[in-house]
Amino acid sequence: MKLDWPLMENNITMEDLNVLIEFLKGQPRLTQSENVKAFECEWSEWLGVRYSVFVNSGASANFITMAAIKHLYGVGEVIIPPLTWVSDIVSVVQNGFKPVFVDINPKNLCMNDKQVIAKLTDKTKAVFLTHVQGFNGLTDRLLDVLKKKNIPLIEDVCESHGATFKGKKLGSYGLASNFSFYFAHHMSTVEGGMVCTNDRTIYETARMLRSHGMVREIEDNSLKEKYIRENPELTPDFIFALPAYNMRNTEIGAVFGRSQLKRLNENNAKRRKNFEIFLNNLDPAKYRTDFDLEGSCNYAFNLVIKKPDPQFRDKVEEAMRDVSVEFRRGSSGGGNQLRQPYLKGIVPENEFEKYPEMEHVHFYGYYIGNYPDLEEQKILNLCSLLNHI
Ligand SMILES: Cc1ncc(COP(=O)(O)O)c(C=O)c1O
């Protein structure tokens, strides 16, 4: 039996390509313009926030958000998970914050909320939570404490578009949130990301940070005038208020985004159903099936072996390779980030050992692709194969 199941499948359809072709026939401007603006408005409406800033990747969204926090609140500590993408941690470190790590909750692979609360200090500038692979990482307890202590929550929703907490979309709770539209995420703009917020100051700061730190990107005239007044010797079109880069996206990305957004809810419902079939048919004696699925919207199947048995693990990997099912060990982002060389000299040696739940997923957790048009029989075949090991 061959299942021929790649990790990612192209989710840009002929319908999206035709929309783009029609757009291109008008010989339009292709750099950031009206479609970017329209996509930002449509995305904000879909998410339930006031403002969105379309950028060239999820990593850029992470970087801009942390740079905005630094600009507005100064540096200090940022609480962050060891199971996330490299850019979450790098954006913290490169903006001068000290990363403070917290172990994961095995039920949702996101940070353990009690441990987050225990690590809050008067130096904490933000909690940078990743909603891992479609799972919700929020709890009332965490939101209440952060509100009481007035500590900003930043949500990385790059892997969880459309997932909810108490019926409200993830990414609409924090001071700011980040999305990725990379190939094979819930939706794609080829490359792309979004910074979302209800906060006007974060929005204006993110707009500047996306475009070389330029004041002319500010929409609020009174704020723009303030910078112009304070810099009388500079030409108003070239006031670089913040140290920044060019992280803009294009009209092409926005045209794809607007077209894909129309199918997002429908595709998410299919992915949700697929994941439920997968978990309902896996043997709970061998694999973890007790994930907290409330509000989840997974673009990947999480396969976590129950017992730390390296021989069993080798057999699982061999079985999946034999039938051509692509997988990634360590789940999201290559497993325990604290084991990665880029953190050498930044975190103490052997720090990774302090996070046992993370370590288990690093060695015994996988993700497998979950696409809207995955056939039920294929999922059942994979479960049967895994259960017979
Ligand atoms: C949690 C998380 N944050 C950030 C990113 C970065 O997004 P991008 O690949 O669009 O730069 C990813 C990438 O998949 C991710 O999974």
Side-chain angles (χ1 to χ4, degrees), residues 57-59 62 84-85 87-88 130 156 158-159 180-182 185 192 332:
S57 72
N62 293 154
T84 183
W85 193 251
S87 54
D88 291 62
T130 298
D156 185 326
C158 287
E159 301 175 359
S180 163
F181 303 124
Y182 180 59
H185 280 233
S332 172

Side-chain angles (χ1 to χ4, degrees), residues 329-340:
R329 190 159 92 197
S331 199
S332 172
N336 193 346
Q337 289 290 316
L338 288 159
R339 288 178 168 272
Q340 295 288 350

Side-chain angles (χ1 to χ4, degrees), residues 172-193:
S172 64
Y173 281 91
L175 174 66
S177 62
N178 300 156
F179 288 84
S180 163
F181 303 124
Y182 180 59
F183 182 64
H185 280 233
H186 294 70
M187 61 171 258
S188 176
T189 59
V190 187
E191 299 281 358

